Amino acid sequence: MKPQYIIDGFTGTETIVNGKKYLYFAGTGYFQLNSHPELIKAASEATLKYGIATATSRAITGNSHLLIEIEKKAADFFNTEDAVYLPSGYLTNIAGLQALSELNTFDIIFLDDGAHYSLCEGARTVDKPLIFFNHCDTEDLKQKLEQHLQPGQRPLIASDGLFPIRAKIAPLETYLELANNYDGTVWIDDAHGVGILGENGRGTYEHLALESPRLYMGATLSKAFGAYGGIIPGAARFIQQIRSGSVMTGSSSPMHAAAASGIKGLEIVQQHPEMREKLWANARYLKERMRSIGIQTEDNELPIVAFSPGNMETMTKIHQALMEEGVYIQFANYKGSGNDGILRIVVFSTHTQKQINLLTEKLGSAMRKFIS
């Protein structure tokens, strides 16, 4: 049976798991805003003023000043005409793809077969043909576009922006080129890219310096921004279509605490680019240290290192040895991890070099012990 890990208290660089304090290198709270005093204060004050939620859909009387404000704040952050806020990041792919379909922007969906579960489910809710292409394989995508598109038909190319398990960025430059060639569009789930990538933290598109009216995205506030809820930024006509769609009209309004903390998280990330710079520096330092103990990893600013030293049994032993030393990393068995799973380390902007050194020292010892 898979072990169950229960968090007791705030998650941070040190976190209590199953009653024991660990040096913590897991999760997705890249700036640790999920325990930031200003976000907690904003959530508390909003709950005291507005209650838990409006207990109805925004299509009826479920709007509040907080919900209007967070959408304005998100549009400003992403420098778009408008933005919409949804109860969860999971819903953004469903709402976004349905809106693009209603606006008649595509005829067939071409989806990376390693895409997040929510993107796969979103694609299946649209009454259009769905074709999977091999993970990040532009040649396979090109072949399938040629094979399946009839003259005049337009593709929607859909993918994660930053794939979180192995820290891989989708080849979006080629996707946009193909979308231009076929009069199509590109949609990405950028849950892990927003906040941490790009000069202004606007995500994978900004990181790759891509701009086009053919590019669309959905994201979440539950990772880099330390809050909760889904965000879709974009042109006013597209956002209005989402507001009139079934996801928006059929779901209850988000909790006020989530909206208030999301506003504050967006503000902090926007006003403090040095957090992003520290995260990038920590990522590069971690990867330098990982290479020093024999683990090959790319020299980039992505704050994730994933590796598979041996089979499941070996990785289980390494993971357990680290836990015995008070260090927690993730032993992931998730989409994209492979059949045996994968060991995965996430570094935060708040980790110190001393903590990173301790991690790699303990990891190096464990690997020498269990890998011949």
Side-chain angles (χ1 to χ4, degrees), residues 19 88 95 98 110 113 169 178 180 211 229 263 277 279 285 293 303:
S88 77
Q98 288 180 356
F110 293 83
D113 66 9
I169 292 177
L178 291 169
N180 283 326
E211 290 186 36
I263 292 167
E277 293 167 3
L279 180 68
Y285 184 73
I293 62 172

Side-chain angles (χ1 to χ4, degrees), residues 45-63:
E45 290 179 348
T47 302
L48 290 172
K49 181 175 181 178
Y50 292 100
I52 301 300
T54 59
T56 186
S57 163
R58 292 181 68 182
I60 306 174
T61 55
N63 261 326

Side-chain angles (χ1 to χ4, degrees), residues 93 111-112 114-117 119 136 158-164 168-172 175 187-190 192 204:
N93 291 307
L111 178 60
D112 187 303
H116 189 265
Y117 303 109
L119 186 46
C136 289
S159 169
D160 291 19
L162 168 60
F163 289 89
K168 188 172 186 178
I169 292 177
L172 300 178
Y175 295 173
W187 170 273
I188 62 170
D189 177 338
D190 212 21
H192 290 267
T204 309

